[in-house]
Amino acid sequence: MGSWSPYDDNGGTILAVAGEDYCIVAASTRMSTGYSILTRDSSKMLQLSPKVVIASAGMQADAATLHKNLQIKNVMYQHNHARPMGVSAVAQLLANTLYYKRFFPYYTFNLVAGLDAEGRGAVYNYDAIGSYERCGYFCQGSGKGLIQPVLDNQLKAASPLLVPAQNTLSNLPLDKALDLVKDAFVSAGERDIYTGDQVEILIITATGTRREELQLKLD
């Protein structure tokens, strides 16, 4: 006899890479349940400002609810302070929101990415109940086990726990980092049935945000 669960993992993979003057955020668009594809065009990202993006893998019903609540708080912040939220403020807001739901958590695996006040790339990764840290790159979702080792090999940076703090940003130029992100998704798409169809890529720089798409296998 099967057991019922309020949660469902809809698969998909998200990742972010931060450089000295850029941040790349990418997410696959396939949404699945079990061995069924529900849609091939489901965005997992929410852009709160020209320099801040949230990406969420996991259960897309919870992700949609989480993004809706964060957008409401973002609009309230802009009305109260007459400016968009910075990436560190969004990171803290997401941590507070996840911790508030810790007894019945959002089944989402989140990244906050963008440019900080100094124009440097920033990536924040989270557990399910809001514990987070800033790092130079990270991957979440069904393809994490395939992509994270590649990022570790190519972008390995000093631990964020070192004292005094060390630079954790990627030293790759933007075009090389973008090629690495695309190669990682192509490789994961060959092995992970939940990562496929298409990759939505946002490239955040001081001049604004550029969007690209990468076609993956459809099977």
Side-chain angles (χ1 to χ4, degrees), residues 113-127:
L115 299 184
D116 63 15
E118 299 174 350
R120 306 175 76 197
V123 175
Y124 296 85
N125 67 84
Y126 293 77
D127 69 4

Side-chain angles (χ1 to χ4, degrees), residues 18-22 115 118-121 167 169-172:
E20 284 290 343
D21 58 355
Y22 67 84
L115 299 184
E118 299 174 350
R120 306 175 76 197
N167 182 21
L169 298 177
S170 167
N171 56 12
L172 286 180

Side-chain angles (χ1 to χ4, degrees), residues 12-87:
T13 305
I14 60 174
L15 73 80
V17 175
E20 284 290 343
D21 58 355
Y22 67 84
C23 190
I24 301 171
V25 195
S28 62
T29 61
R30 177 177 294 178
M31 185 170 75
S32 310
T33 182
Y35 293 108
S36 299
I37 296 175
L38 301 177
T39 177
R40 299 180 185 273
D41 189 23
S42 172
S43 177
K44 296 175 176 62
M45 295 195 281
L46 170 68
Q47 186 161 11
L48 291 177
S49 79
K51 295 183 179 180
V52 183
V53 173
I54 294 175
S56 303
M59 183 176 178
Q60 288 307 300
D62 276 4
T65 302
L66 175 61
H67 288 183
K68 179 180 178 181
N69 290 338
L70 292 172
Q71 182 67 291
I72 291 170
K73 293 175 182 176
N74 177 53
V75 171
M76 292 173 64
Y77 181 97
Q78 292 187 49
H79 286 317
N80 291 334
H81 300 279
R83 67 174 188 270
M85 294 182 74
V87 66

Side-chain angles (χ1 to χ4, degrees), residues 117-151:
E118 299 174 350
R120 306 175 76 197
V123 175
Y124 296 85
N125 67 84
Y126 293 77
D127 69 4
I129 57 173
S131 178
Y132 73 106
E133 68 175 357
R134 181 172 175 172
C135 54
Y137 60 91
F138 210 78
C139 178
Q140 298 271 37
S142 59
K144 179 181 178 181
L146 298 167
I147 292 180
Q148 190 69 33
V150 177
L151 299 180

